[in-house]
Amino acid sequence: MTEMVYGAAPVKSGEPVLPRWWRTVDKWSLSCILILFGIGLLLGLAASVPLAERNNLPQFHYVQRQIVFGLMAFAVMFVVSTFSPLMVRRMGVLFFFAAFLALAMLPFFGTDFGKGAVRWYSLGFASVQPSEFLKPVFVIMAAWLMAASQEINGPPGKSISLALVLTIVGLLAMQPDFGQACLVLFGWGVMYFVAGAPIPLLIGLAGAVVLAGMVAYNGSEHFARRIDGFLSADVDPTTQMGYATNAIREGGFFGVGVGEGQVKWSLPDAHTDFIIAVAAEEYGLMLVLVIIALYATITFRSLMRLMRERDPFIRLAGTGLACMFGVQALINIGVAVRLLPSKGMTLPFVSYGGSSLIAGGLALGMLLALTRTRPQGEIGDHFLRRGHGG
């Protein structure tokens, strides 16, 4: 009965890694991740065909690549999810320095692929977007610093993490990639709040973000154009936002039918940033609600499991990863329905993209590792022992 209520199962002596992993991992979240990827492949069968034809490639070229990337992502997710929190922390800190260096070198060795923002390294056969990999490992780095600052005579971890996040946000804004910059800042802010940040400081940081947005609006034509398009009362039907809005309107509750959608022939990013518009047009609001429910399930189940953790690093890192994952999905969907300005952000595990998928596998692998049930690892156990005088 105790295991059913609290989810804490004792470690069996000499138990193999795979059975122990299966017994302790959050199977609901794992199932939701698999379903999201399946939906992504289903939508990719429709959304990527026009792009393949425009590039004189086989019809299902991008779907086949997505399957390969997906297998790689799930392999990474499984391996990382078997790690202990200590191994997750060590790996995250080491990978952070590599990802940070890759991000810093983008202005010198990166490419924009004609999109106006230098965000990628071209490898010839594929491309890599460092910011996708930096997000999850930065969460681990920041959580480690914040947790260390809570120890007696610990380092000024919160101040160091603040300096790091401001540096990263500055590098991302230079690309420009304001969407990823906001997401990184949000993830850090959530962890800082959970770590016990003073409210006046958070208000001051929010004011600084607004001021930075005003400066960016006046100094970046790319940023100003997106904000003006979002604030405009009329949507240009020939823009990506116009096509996406019309597709969602045409889809209604149950969609126009599988393969009958037209937005995929007009939107160049239908298979990536605006994949939700394809889902809404062909399958209707019902599929969109299912997708939202899947993201919400992963995010809230992770947060509920983390609430019982007494280790500060696990709580902070897990909260940052879960919130960043959920908010990225929220931003992507919000852009498609014109609740937010265009960000150029993928829908995790649904949009096409190697960097997005593999980095997502890394992030969710770490989240699954941190939310696995551990004996005597919950804060309730700690209070229970204190109540018995232990």
Side-chain angles (χ1 to χ4, degrees), residues 252-289:
F253 280 97
F254 301 104
V256 299
V258 180
E260 299 298 322
Q262 298 302 311
V263 70
K264 60 196 177 189
W265 298 99
S266 307
L267 276 175
D269 293 329
H271 63 311
T272 54
D273 300 350
F274 288 93
I275 191 74
I276 200 69
V278 177
E281 184 181 31
E282 297 201 358
Y283 297 92
L285 177 64
M286 304 310 295
L287 180 61
V288 175
L289 292 177

Side-chain angles (χ1 to χ4, degrees), residues 47 65 77 86 93 194 228 269 324 382:
R65 287 173 62 89
M77 184 178 72
L86 178 60
V93 170
V194 173
D228 290 340
D269 293 329
M324 192 176 286
H382 174 67

Side-chain angles (χ1 to χ4, degrees), residues 57-324:
L57 295 168
Q59 279 192 333
F60 301 114
H61 170 79
Y62 292 103
V63 177
Q64 293 169 352
R65 287 173 62 89
Q66 185 77 341
I67 293 174
V68 173
F69 290 139
L71 292 174
M72 295 171 63
F74 282 113
V76 170
M77 184 178 72
F78 167 69
V79 171
V80 174
S81 66
T82 64
F83 290 177
S84 67
L86 178 60
M87 291 178 66
V88 169
R89 191 189 72 193
R90 289 174 176 173
M91 179 197 66
V93 170
L94 289 175
F95 280 23
F96 168 77
F97 290 108
F100 181 81
L101 180 62
L103 182 71
M105 292 294 104
L106 269 178
F108 307 101
F109 304 105
T111 182
D112 63 355
F113 290 110
K115 296 186 177 183
V118 182
R119 302 176 184 175
W120 300 271
Y121 286 108
S122 177
L123 305 180
F125 60 91
S127 61
V128 177
Q129 187 174 354
S131 61
E132 291 285 358
F133 294 92
L134 181 66
K135 288 184 298 185
V137 293
F138 167 71
V139 167
I140 299 299
M141 183 71 176
W144 177 48
L145 290 169
M146 292 181 190
S149 70
Q150 296 178 8
E151 299 176 359
I152 299 175
N153 297 323
K158 292 180 181 178
S159 300
I160 298 173
S161 70
L162 174 60
L164 282 178
V165 75
L166 292 178
T167 303
I168 292 169
V169 167
L171 290 173
L172 289 171
M174 287 170 57
Q175 293 182 1
D177 191 348
F178 297 105
Q180 298 284 19
C182 291
L183 190 58
V184 169
L185 191 59
F186 169 80
W188 176 86
V190 168
M191 290 189 294
Y192 203 42
F193 176 78
V194 173
I199 297 299
L201 177 59
L202 292 176
I203 295 175
L205 289 173
V209 170
V210 173
L211 180 61
M214 295 173 60
V215 172
Y217 180 84
N218 293 318
S220 172
E221 181 182 349
H222 172 81
F223 184 77
R225 186 169 60 250
R226 292 195 171 188
I227 296 297
D228 290 340
F230 170 69
L231 295 177
S232 174
D234 299 318
V235 180
D236 185 348
T238 62
T239 62
Q240 292 200 103
M241 191 68 72
Y243 287 126
T245 303
N246 183 67
I248 294 170
R249 185 185 304 113
E250 291 293 326
F253 280 97
F254 301 104
V256 299
V258 180
E260 299 298 322
Q262 298 302 311
V263 70
K264 60 196 177 189
W265 298 99
S266 307
L267 276 175
D269 293 329
H271 63 311
T272 54
D273 300 350
F274 288 93
I275 191 74
I276 200 69
V278 177
E281 184 181 31
E282 297 201 358
Y283 297 92
L285 177 64
M286 304 310 295
L287 180 61
V288 175
L289 292 177
V290 168
I291 293 173
I292 293 173
L294 290 169
Y295 284 113
T297 299
I298 296 170
T299 302
F300 287 114
R301 277 192 64 85
S302 299
L303 292 175
M304 291 300 294
R305 292 168 77 95
L306 288 164
M307 284 177 64
R308 298 194 296 260
E309 280 291 345
R310 65 180 184 183
D311 186 297
F313 166 75
I314 296 175
R315 286 202 310 272
L316 293 172
T319 300
L321 290 169
C323 291
M324 192 176 286

